Amino acid sequence: MGMYQIFITAVLVGAVSFFPETAEAAVMGPSMQKLTWHYYKVYNTCENAENFIRHQVEIVYKKDKSIAPKLLRLLYSDCFVSGCDASVLLEGPNSERMAPQNRGLGAFVIIDKIKIVLEQRCPGVVSCADILNLATRDAVHLAGAPSYPVFTGRRDGLTSDKQNVDLPSPSISWDQAMDYFKSRGLSVLDMATLLGSHTMGRTHCSYVVDRLYNYNKTGTPSPTMNKSFLSEMAKQCPPRTRKGQTDPLVYLNPDSGSNHSFTNSYYSRILSNKSVLEVDQQLLYNDDTKQISEEFAASFEDFRKSFALSMSKMGAINVLTKTEGEIRRDCRRIN
């Protein structure tokens, strides 16, 4: 058993304490300790807030399963930029959602619907930041992920600036990806786990064509990419030769496809050199993340448990609480 397989086992045994009604502070980072388990029940401000959110997510999910990866991407785009403060939801010509890296962001409509329901039942109480975190958890759970605990009590940010959006290209190296995750207080296990979100959803061909035709500016395809998979992808993503050319969407995990199901097949594809994005394939070229990928490919349950922990950690990045920020009445604009 490798070092990281032993480490993963230890972490996941400790994760059991994460699932009872009271969370152990031992597994919570400083930022997470600012939040509260069932905040709206504990403080009697909106006892059924989580039930209202879950019900709205279930209604939308029945019609559109792509809501799960869309919410995951929206939450990542929020938390990794200025912290989980719902700043990505704010509208404006220079807001975060206008940054090039956020092209194609979706799921804003479901957040708006949930907010309208909660404002009718508990006006001015439930933050957009908490709605985004809870709705994402409920949607990915319907897709097959664990229903991990979301600690609440976040407040909403007052600013949103596209200049602050430093989300990296999906063609970055392993070292660059690791530095980026570390800068957000996340570990190598968190990175390998959270990239597993790419087990569902879609991406634009423009993020893939360099692997297919001009890997590292060599004018040739990625030498490690499985040859039959390379041919499949080339059919879906022609070379980008002219400005204004259409930019088709492809599935991040062809095994999940239009079902958008949360599985561990993402890791099996990494081990077979069949990743769509370079950042995903890079997990194979580091001993630690290779061992983690092997572990998760072999055990869906280990992936699910690690995902629960890493999502909770991500949801606590630079949160606003108490008197910081505000509780927006409309998620698209400040009060």
Side-chain angles (χ1 to χ4, degrees), residues 57 60-61 63-79 88-89 101-111 131-133 135-140 143 167 197-204 249 251-252 257-262 307 311 314:
V57 170
V60 175
Y61 185 82
K63 297 174 187 168
D64 178 13
K65 289 183 169 53
S66 74
I67 199 68
K70 284 174 183 172
L71 279 166
L72 263 176
R73 185 183 169 206
L74 191 59
L75 182 63
Y76 158 76
S77 296
D78 186 45
C79 293
V88 76
L89 303 179
Q101 300 97 313
N102 283 331
R103 178 172 65 121
L105 272 188
F108 295 106
V109 172
I110 185 174
I111 301 298
I131 290 171
L132 178 53
N133 275 269
T136 301
R137 186 269 310 275
D138 293 339
V140 295
L167 300 172
S197 299
H198 293 163
T199 194
M200 54 185 176
R202 299 194 296 175
T203 189
H204 282 282
L249 285 160
Y251 291 110
L252 284 165
S258 58
N259 290 328
H260 299 291
S261 50
F262 184 92
F307 187 79
M311 285 297 288
M314 183 178 84

Side-chain angles (χ1 to χ4, degrees), residues 205-272:
C205 280
S206 54
Y207 294 124
V208 185
V209 285
D210 57 337
R211 300 195 72 210
L212 304 179
Y213 306 107
N214 192 22
Y215 180 72
N216 280 350
K217 300 193 169 88
T218 57
T220 58
S222 168
T224 57
M225 203 170 182
N226 175 281
K227 294 294 183 283
S228 63
F229 182 57
L230 177 63
S231 299
E232 283 173 44
M233 291 302 299
K235 286 174 192 166
Q236 297 178 66
C237 296
R240 294 182 66 73
T241 55
R242 63 185 190 278
K243 204 172 178 182
Q245 183 177 339
T246 57
D247 191 3
L249 285 160
V250 290
Y251 291 110
L252 284 165
N253 177 2
D255 295 344
S256 294
S258 58
N259 290 328
H260 299 291
S261 50
F262 184 92
T263 72
N264 59 339
S265 61
Y266 163 87
Y267 296 100
S268 305
R269 295 188 70 88
I270 288 171
L271 301 175
S272 304

Side-chain angles (χ1 to χ4, degrees), residues 10-187:
V11 167
L12 299 182
V13 167
V16 173
S17 64
F18 221 45
F19 290 87
E21 285 303 298
T22 55
E24 298 284 340
V27 297
M28 297 166 67
S31 207
M32 209 182 294
Q33 289 175 40
K34 294 169 73 176
L35 301 172
T36 303
W37 180 233
H38 292 319
Y39 175 88
Y40 299 101
K41 270 188 185 171
V42 169
Y43 293 102
N44 299 314
T45 50
C46 192
E47 189 175 349
N48 292 309
E50 294 191 29
N51 293 335
F52 293 145
I53 292 169
R54 188 175 301 115
H55 179 62
Q56 292 301 314
V57 170
E58 285 169 353
I59 290 170
V60 175
Y61 185 82
K62 281 175 187 169
K63 297 174 187 168
D64 178 13
K65 289 183 169 53
S66 74
I67 199 68
K70 284 174 183 172
L71 279 166
L72 263 176
R73 185 183 169 206
L74 191 59
L75 182 63
Y76 158 76
S77 296
D78 186 45
C79 293
F80 270 72
V81 173
S82 56
C84 302
D85 62 352
S87 54
V88 76
L89 303 179
L90 288 171
E91 284 184 330
N94 296 306
S95 64
E96 287 173 26
R97 64 159 84 182
M98 302 306 289
Q101 300 97 313
N102 283 331
R103 178 172 65 121
L105 272 188
F108 295 106
V109 172
I110 185 174
I111 301 298
D112 290 339
K113 282 182 180 172
I114 293 168
K115 184 62 174 169
I116 288 165
V117 169
L118 288 168
E119 285 299 305
Q120 288 168 349
R121 288 165 171 75
C122 319
V125 170
V126 184
S127 69
C128 300
D130 277 345
I131 290 171
L132 178 53
N133 275 269
L134 289 162
T136 301
R137 186 269 310 275
D138 293 339
V140 295
H141 177 52
L142 290 168
S147 183
Y148 54 88
V150 172
F151 296 86
T152 41
R154 295 169 190 78
R155 286 168 66 86
D156 300 321
L158 299 168
T159 59
S160 182
D161 186 349
K162 68 180 181 182
Q163 300 297 327
N164 294 333
V165 177
D166 61 349
L167 300 172
S169 156
S171 296
I172 57 172
S173 68
W174 188 93
D175 289 326
Q176 289 170 316
M178 191 66 255
D179 287 345
Y180 187 73
F181 275 78
K182 273 186 182 170
S183 72
R184 270 61 180 173
L186 299 171
S187 68

